[in-house]
Amino acid sequence: MASNKIQFRSIHELKDPALNNKLAQKEFQEEIPVEDFLGDAEKNGSSTSRRDFLKLLGFSTAAVTLAACEAPVIKTIPYVVKPHDIIPGIPNYYASTYFDGFDFASVLVKTREGRPIKIEPNPAGGDLGKTNARAQASVLSLYDNDKVKQPKLDGKDETFDKVDSFVIKGLEEAKASGKKIVVLSHSFASPTFKKLFAEFKAKYPTAELVTFDAYPYAAGLDAAQEVFGQRALPVYDLNGSELVVSFQADFLGDYNASSLETSYATARKPGPNMLRHIQVESNMSLTGANADSRYRLKPSAVNKTLVEVYNAIVGGGTTDKTATEIANELKAKGSKAVVFADGSKGAQVLAHLINQKLGSVAFTGKANFLKEFNGARYQEFLGWVNGGQVGVLVTNNVDPIYAHPKGEDFKKSLSKVPYVIAVADKKNEMYKAAKAVIPVANWLESWGDIEPQTGVYSLMQPTIQKIYKSRQIEESLLVWKNGKNNAANNYYDYLKASSASLLGGTSFNKALYNGINASTNSTTLSYAGGNAAQAVAELGNFKASELELVLYTKTSMGDGTQANNPWLQELPDPITRMSWDNYLTISPKDAEKFGIDNDLNARMQLDGSIVNLTVNGVTIKDVPVFVQPGQAEGSVGLALGYGKKNSGATADTGVNAYPLFDGSNLVLSGAKIEKTGEDHEFAGIQLQNTLMGRYEIAKEVPLAEFINVPFDDEHKGWNKPLEYHTISGALPARKIDLWDAFDDTDGPHFNLSIDLNSCTGCGACIIACQAENNVPVVGKEEVRMSRDMYWLRIDRYYSSRQTVEVYEGLKDGLAVPELYGTAFNKEGGALNHPADNPDVIFQPVMCQHCNHAPCETVCPVAATSHGKQGQNHMAYNRCIGTRYCANNCPYKVRRFNWFTYNLNDKFDFNMNNDLGRMVLNPDVVVRTRGVMEKCSMCIQMTQNTILEAKKEGRRVKDGEFQTACSKACSTGAMTFGDMNDKDSSIRKVYASNRRYYLLEEIGTKPNVFYHTKVRNRVEK
């Protein structure tokens, strides 16, 4: 590493220098509870018990034999008449649009034998074709066994015909009485839906379309209305920018209804014009974790700093030191700088006005139409309901009872509405309050269109027949408008006719094939106003308090739309590395102040205090607290989207924070916490993998050194090649072998490159790997037991900004909160603790596919072996579960099947029911108990690519070889390819002077290599 900074994975490593050794000792401590399912000596009737037999021979030999004896008989039913477009064993891909009311992406849907099994980015979509973790996981939500499966009327199963008769009767009564007919929907930027509703309103003149979003982007829309004169979010592009300054804006996450990951990563390519990133925030966000310079301030101080920066930019001047530094950098970069802000309308108005003053080229002028919430309009709707003016209410898969601070009041007022119809996917609060229920069709079962932004038109098509008796809202509107059994009720025909005016000369079939197309909509945004004084006053009205709350959305959960998706619930948060929870994040110093504990028990499992959180008179009970390095003192954070009742067994996880959210302001003053005296059991995975106890495995270097200092300089080199001193002199590490080298020159030899500078830690690759390779969900209890099954993990490393010695307080084993304020530098002055504001590095780690793999030499049955293409193979039917390979793996990337995770009631997730198992990839075997598994470098994908090229009589082209993780990566951090192709991209990135190998010194010779992270700042 180029610096002498220390790296640590948690504050517990700072507390206990011996923690790594303890973790290593605990890693294989658990015995397999074979007696629970294999019996005991008494029942065997033998002098040698099964337990003794297993001890001698190895668990899996007997277990797999017994499992084979009890294998279920599976009946296969051939096609009587095979569908024309389905060839068994050959996948079909359909271009479509992922849209669930919160997220959007242009995608390719992979289907096998008529089953959607995988979501892929649509290359034609550009930035709009990139997929996040939620988009990747959305295919599992199609097979949610907790969905509403049948139309309901008065709580009983009914036919669509009877439900439609009920609704039409209500519509006619409302029309006759002059009462309003309200369709309450999430934001729905569909031109055809809007056209259809206009026709519906023509028949029923009192009909009104009202938007409700759980996470409504109200502050951003209100700010856009004021500054641009249009209620649409602006679209940004960072490709031409050299400086981005963000105030609480998580622009790599859910800020502005679109992530800027792709252009951000492109602009961050190391070089003289590399984008510099400054983050001013309270929570340690995903965006803040990627920043070059991060100022941690409580929300009131963030507001003050933003105002001071605005004053400095527009000429008023400032005496604030931090604001002066930021403003000077903004002025120096001018139009190549951009400012983002979040938290309130005033903050976003000031950010827009700063960008106008700078003439920022990041502002494209394009409009984002995905969010349409209007707070005033929604309040007007509540007035109609409370006043008894609504005759019919149709809710389109929204639940204001759960996701609105006045949800309980709304629930009570629904008694004033004669006809309540819920188009819903779960048996949630709206389902229970409705007189009629129509199961909503999943996006993978639906036709539709979306206009996400200026000049773009995206089509949605079904990739599977409706699994249950469901219907999308458009089909219902057609029936209610035209009458039952009308020939014009086919929504496909309606969509095809409607799209003609939006596609120009493109045919509908061609547009459907593309998935995403050019649109005739040329709406643009331009600066037209903005009341700076009002914005400054609004920010000034936010009163500082002892504790201030920041509400946010997690990378995995978003607004909670897919809360019942176990892939997303188990996905570890990129910052905390905790799964199956939301929690109150608090700074280490505040934890000491309030007596909050985060302790590791004897099993190296994390336990934490539970508090009651009160803000503005609203109390959220039993909130676990997580001590978060980098959290600003005087602030706490809490994620939205959790604690959904009656929405499935998985969704009822965590606490519901929506009662604290007014829809606009994400920061709240006057938060108070009260300890309950109880402890919470966290499920985290950051401390499970010891990597042989070595540090400095995630390398970083300042930009100035990267540019000005040769990487291999004898004294100052920041990435000096590892050498060994031998009898023949110094030799490069990769030239020294104890074994004969493999001949890898014949055919492809695969390598995977991972650029730490581009990896933002988003987790899309983890879900993509899980979907492609049938990786099971194990649940919170098993994750807590260090038994997660992920083939790919993203390690998060903190690094301090100064060298810190282990001082006496640490050596004495003091509790974590007692450590702060006890460190001193050599001159005796106080030294900031490394956990106060650490740097962060994200490092994806999977099987390194070592050419000299330690696992291969210790397997007694040759279950793991080396392939000619560079992959380390696993023969599952040979594995007897000794776990020697896992013990010998320095990277800790192997996973042991402690149990059978499919068709097992103890693991009641998607693999435990026939519907959920429809997502399984038939190209990858589902593993059983007692075998070891790990990353295969997606051998099923690489072999399929080779076979396709062979059938066509050609060589494989560069870029055709892909893995699930490399395809899903939206930043280009992962490059996969054939090293024997001299013109391949992988060979080009291999030549980079930032390249290095993980734990190269132990001689495993991996086929995965990394690139040093470059920080664009002057080190102090």
Side-chain angles (χ1 to χ4, degrees):
M1 183 177 285
S3 67
N4 59 358
K5 301 194 298 185
I6 64 166
Q7 285 187 346
F8 56 100
R9 293 172 296 172
S10 76
I11 53 180
H12 305 284
E13 288 188 353
L14 294 174
K15 170 186 175 181
D16 186 358
L19 180 59
N20 249 3
N21 291 333
K22 293 178 182 178
L23 288 169
Q25 292 167 7
K26 296 289 184 183
E27 191 159 11
F28 293 95
Q29 70 169 351
E30 291 303 316
E31 293 184 3
I32 303 169
V34 294
E35 63 277 3
D36 290 350
F37 42 81
L38 292 182
D40 53 31
E42 288 80 4
K43 295 178 182 178
N44 266 340
S46 169
S47 59
T48 302
S49 71
R50 292 190 187 189
R51 185 173 180 82
D52 293 333
F53 172 72
L54 293 175
K55 285 179 179 178
L56 292 171
L57 194 57
F59 161 71
S60 288
T61 306
V64 172
T65 302
L66 290 172
C69 293
E70 300 168 1
V73 177
I74 299 177
K75 297 179 181 178
T76 57
I77 302 175
Y79 289 118
V80 178
V81 179
K82 184 181 76 67
H84 176 71
D85 57 346
I86 291 180
I87 302 175
I90 304 298
N92 286 343
Y93 290 85
Y94 298 89
S96 191
T97 300
Y98 163 58
F99 178 73
D100 64 358
F102 183 69
D103 288 300
F104 169 91
S106 177
V107 299
L108 300 179
V109 182
K110 178 182 178 181
T111 66
R112 282 292 302 269
E113 289 74 60
R115 298 177 294 112
I117 63 170
K118 184 75 169 58
I119 305 300
E120 306 283 10
N122 184 357
D127 286 357
L128 293 173
K130 305 300 182 181
T131 57
N132 58 17
R134 298 187 294 269
Q136 288 286 333
S138 63
V139 67
L140 184 59
S141 293
L142 168 67
Y143 303 117
D144 187 346
N145 203 39
D146 292 323
K147 291 195 298 186
V148 180
K149 302 177 176 69
Q150 171 82 27
K152 306 278 185 178
L153 191 59
D154 292 326
K156 299 178 181 178
D157 290 351
E158 199 48 89
T159 63
F160 276 119
D161 183 73
K162 293 287 182 63
V163 171
D164 287 334
S165 295
F166 171 79
V167 176
I168 292 172
K169 177 174 177 288
L171 293 173
E172 294 297 338
E173 288 181 10
K175 180 180 179 180
S177 64
K179 285 194 172 185
K180 293 188 180 296
I181 299 166
V182 178
V183 176
L184 183 67
S185 173
H186 52 69
S187 292
F188 202 175
S190 166
T192 302
F193 170 72
K194 299 233 173 36
K195 178 176 180 289
L196 175 56
F197 182 81
E199 295 175 5
F200 179 78
K201 183 175 175 63
K203 178 166 185 179
Y204 301 104
T206 58
E208 301 283 353
L209 179 61
V210 180
T211 298
F212 172 80
D213 290 322
Y215 191 83
Y217 295 88
L221 291 167
D222 290 344
Q225 180 76 56
E226 180 178 317
V227 175
F228 306 116
Q230 297 186 60
R231 199 168 182 79
L233 299 172
V235 175
Y236 294 96
D237 185 343
L238 297 177
N239 277 308
S241 300
E242 295 182 10
L243 174 65
V244 56
V245 181
S246 171
F247 295 87
Q248 299 279 35
D250 190 11
F251 62 81
L252 298 180
D254 298 325
Y255 172 73
N256 218 43
S258 60
S259 173
L260 291 171
E261 276 187 322
T262 305
S263 62
Y264 177 81
T266 303
R268 297 273 291 171
K269 295 295 182 186
N273 298 321
M274 175 183 171
L275 176 71
R276 172 159 156 74
H277 176 190
I278 299 173
Q279 188 82 5
V280 186
E281 64 179 7
S282 306
N283 292 351
M284 173 70 86
S285 69
L286 184 70
T287 303
N290 284 278
D292 296 304
S293 298
R294 180 175 179 271
Y295 297 89
R296 56 186 183 94
L297 302 172
K298 62 195 301 186
S300 54
V302 173
N303 289 344
K304 181 178 181 298
T305 304
L306 174 57
V307 171
E308 294 298 325
V309 169
Y310 172 79
N311 289 336
I313 294 295
V314 299
T318 179
T319 57
D320 184 275
K321 182 176 181 294
T322 300
T324 300
E325 292 175 357
I326 295 173
N328 287 342
E329 290 200 49
L330 287 169
K331 290 176 182 177
K333 291 297 182 182
S335 64
K336 293 185 177 180
V338 63
V339 174
F340 300 128
D342 202 3
S344 65
K345 174 190 172 184
Q348 300 210 33
V349 167
L350 288 188
H352 292 319
L353 295 179
I354 292 173
N355 291 333
Q356 181 184 19
K357 180 70 174 179
L358 295 171
S360 175
V361 296
F363 175 71
T364 64
K366 295 179 181 179
N368 181 322
F369 305 120
L370 288 172
K371 300 302 169 185
E372 304 171 312
F373 178 79
N374 187 317
R377 171 79 165 165
Y378 185 73
Q379 290 300 319
E380 185 180 18
F381 157 71
L382 293 180
W384 298 337
V385 174
N386 290 326
Q389 301 174 44
V390 178
V392 178
L393 172 62
V394 181
T395 60
N396 180 31
N397 210 26
V398 294
D399 186 3
I401 301 174
Y402 157 75
H404 192 273
K406 302 295 184 183
E408 287 301 316
D409 294 341
F410 177 69
K411 180 180 179 180
K412 294 174 183 176
S413 65
L414 287 177
S415 61
K416 301 176 182 178
V417 182
Y419 292 85
V420 178
I421 300 96
V423 180
D425 63 344
K426 301 290 191 312
K427 299 177 181 179
N428 54 26
E429 295 299 325
M430 277 309 307
Y431 168 96
K432 293 192 292 184
K435 294 184 178 179
V437 177
I438 297 174
V440 67
N442 186 272
W443 68 276
L444 288 163
E445 303 170 314
S446 304
W447 290 101
D449 61 353
I450 300 290
E451 202 167 44
Q453 67 182 40
T454 302
V456 179
Y457 181 67
S458 188
L459 285 170
M460 179 188 296
Q461 63 176 318
T463 56
I464 189 173
Q465 290 287 346
K466 291 187 177 69
I467 297 174
Y468 291 113
K469 295 178 181 179
S470 59
R471 199 165 70 181
Q472 59 191 105
I473 184 72
E474 298 94 331
E475 292 177 295
S476 295
L477 290 178
L478 280 172
V479 172
W480 302 337
K481 175 177 76 78
N482 299 324
K484 295 185 292 183
N485 303 317
N486 191 308
N489 288 348
N490 187 311
Y491 187 61
Y492 165 77
D493 293 336
Y494 189 91
L495 173 67
K496 185 175 181 180
S498 173
S499 65
S501 62
L502 296 163
L503 288 171
T506 306
S507 70
F508 183 76
N509 284 347
K510 176 65 175 175
L512 205 59
Y513 175 83
N514 295 336
I516 195 164
N517 305 271
S519 166
T520 55
N521 187 330
S522 58
T523 302
T524 57
L525 301 180
S526 59
Y527 296 102
N531 190 329
Q534 181 179 314
V536 170
E538 178 190 328
L539 295 180
N541 289 335
F542 184 89
K543 300 301 181 185
S545 63
E546 181 185 24
L547 210 56
E548 299 166 9
L549 173 67
V550 181
L551 299 170
Y552 66 99
T553 55
K554 267 195 182 186
T555 302
S556 58
M557 199 49 52
D559 70 341
T561 298
Q562 294 191 77
N564 204 47
N565 189 314
W567 285 355
L568 293 176
Q569 287 284 5
E570 190 150 298
L571 178 66
D573 181 80
I575 306 297
T576 66
R577 306 294 289 136
M578 298 293 151
S579 66
W580 290 101
D581 266 321
N582 66 336
Y583 30 73
L584 201 67
T585 56
I586 192 170
S587 74
K589 289 184 179 177
D590 283 336
E592 177 185 18
K593 177 180 177 181
F594 291 103
I596 301 297
D597 299 315
N598 267 187
D599 292 318
L600 293 173
N601 64 20
R603 296 173 59 90
M604 300 295 115
Q605 297 167 330
L606 186 67
D607 298 323
S609 300
I610 296 177
V611 301
N612 293 330
L613 171 67
T614 302
V615 188
N616 298 330
V618 179
T619 298
I620 308 296
K621 293 186 175 181
D622 299 327
V623 185
V625 186
F626 181 83
V627 180
Q628 174 62 58
Q631 182 83 27
E633 285 88 19
S635 72
V636 289
L638 184 61
L640 299 162
Y642 285 82
K644 295 186 80 169
K645 306 293 183 184
N646 306 307
S647 295
T650 300
D652 190 9
T653 298
V655 297
N656 180 14
Y658 277 116
L660 302 175
F661 183 38
D662 65 2
S664 181
N665 296 296
L666 290 167
V667 293
L668 295 90
S669 183
K672 296 179 181 179
I673 58 176
E674 178 187 7
K675 288 183 66 175
T676 64
E678 301 294 324
D679 286 334
H680 179 79
E681 295 182 346
F682 287 104
I685 72 171
Q686 182 66 19
L687 291 176
Q688 293 177 13
N689 307 288
T690 60
L691 266 74
M692 298 181 67
R694 286 164 168 78
Y695 285 88
E696 298 188 353
I697 59 174
K699 293 188 176 183
E700 57 183 321
V701 61
L703 179 62
E705 285 187 37
F706 169 75
I707 294 174
N708 299 317
V709 178
F711 74 98
D712 56 355
D713 183 88
E714 183 178 355
H715 301 292
K716 298 182 179 180
W718 46 268
N719 193 25
K720 288 187 289 187
L722 181 65
E723 292 182 339
Y724 288 122
H725 295 281
T726 71
I727 194 171
S728 303
L731 290 176
R734 291 186 70 79
K735 296 292 185 182
I736 299 175
D737 287 335
L738 294 177
W739 297 274
D740 293 334
F742 291 102
D743 177 14
D744 56 13
T745 59
D746 181 20
H749 183 84
F750 297 118
N751 269 207
L752 175 64
S753 165
I754 300 175
D755 190 342
L756 300 185
N757 218 60
S758 299
C759 179
T760 62
C762 72
C765 57
I766 297 176
I767 299 296
C769 173
Q770 189 163 19
E772 175 68 27
N773 296 296
N774 301 333
V775 176
V777 174
V778 299
K780 181 176 180 178
E781 182 179 344
E782 291 298 299
V783 172
R784 183 170 164 82
M785 294 282 286
S786 303
R787 293 175 181 167
D788 71 278
M789 295 301 296
Y790 288 120
W791 287 12
L792 162 64
R793 67 177 190 265
I794 302 179
D795 286 340
R796 182 266 300 121
Y797 288 95
Y798 297 126
S799 60
S800 72
R801 296 186 177 225
Q802 68 278 318
T803 303
V804 177
E805 297 181 1
V806 178
Y807 42 86
E808 292 304 316
L810 293 176
K811 295 175 182 176
D812 293 340
L814 296 177
V816 172
E818 296 175 22
L819 302 178
Y820 302 95
T822 61
F824 297 91
N825 58 28
K826 292 180 180 179
E827 289 73 33
L831 186 68
N832 287 332
H833 192 273
D836 284 350
N837 192 22
D839 289 328
V840 180
I841 303 177
F842 297 106
Q843 184 174 53
V845 180
M846 67 293 290
C847 174
Q848 303 290 289
H849 294 273
C850 309
N851 288 307
H852 291 165
C855 56
E856 296 171 11
T857 59
V858 295
C859 181
V861 293
T864 180
S865 58
H866 206 73
K868 192 171 180 60
Q869 297 172 345
Q871 293 142 320
N872 175 260
H873 296 318
M874 273 299 305
Y876 297 128
N877 61 341
R878 292 186 64 88
C879 179
I880 62 171
T882 63
R883 294 182 289 161
Y884 296 160
C885 56
N887 195 33
N888 218 39
C889 175
Y891 306 101
K892 301 308 171 194
V893 291
R894 290 176 164 263
R895 300 290 176 263
F896 182 69
N897 285 269
W898 292 91
F899 303 98
T900 296
Y901 297 110
N902 62 89
L903 298 178
N904 186 339
D905 289 341
K906 292 184 178 180
F907 302 95
D908 192 12
F909 305 108
N910 64 292
M911 287 191 184
N912 196 42
N913 60 81
D914 290 339
L915 179 61
R917 287 169 59 82
M918 287 179 71
V919 81
L920 296 177
N921 182 2
D923 291 334
V924 180
V925 68
V926 177
R927 285 74 63 187
T928 189
R929 71 182 177 211
V931 302
M932 192 67 69
E933 62 182 69
K934 52 125 198 124
C935 163
S936 68
M937 209 173 262
C938 289
I939 190 170
Q940 72 279 2
M941 295 175 66
T942 56
Q943 288 304 109
N944 182 68
T945 301
I946 292 170
L947 290 173
E948 288 296 318
K950 186 180 290 186
K951 284 192 296 184
E952 296 172 12
R954 61 174 178 82
R955 290 179 61 87
V956 177
K957 301 174 186 176
D958 183 40
E960 285 189 279
F961 283 126
Q962 291 284 358
T963 58
C965 55
S966 65
K967 287 185 78 171
C969 183
S970 61
T971 64
M974 293 182 172
T975 304
F976 180 77
D978 177 12
M979 286 293 289
N980 288 335
D981 180 354
K982 295 182 180 179
D983 298 322
S984 64
S985 298
I986 192 70
R987 284 287 288 262
K988 294 174 184 176
V989 296
Y990 180 84
S992 168
N993 55 17
R994 290 194 292 129
R995 171 180 54 83
Y996 75 97
Y997 290 92
L998 202 56
L999 304 182
E1000 185 178 15
E1001 62 271 24
I1002 61 178
T1004 57
K1005 300 190 183 303
N1007 283 317
V1008 178
F1009 57 88
Y1010 293 81
H1011 292 268
T1012 303
K1013 184 176 182 67
V1014 179
R1015 294 199 186 277
N1016 188 357
R1017 69 171 182 235
V1018 178
E1019 296 289 350
K1020 298 179 180 179

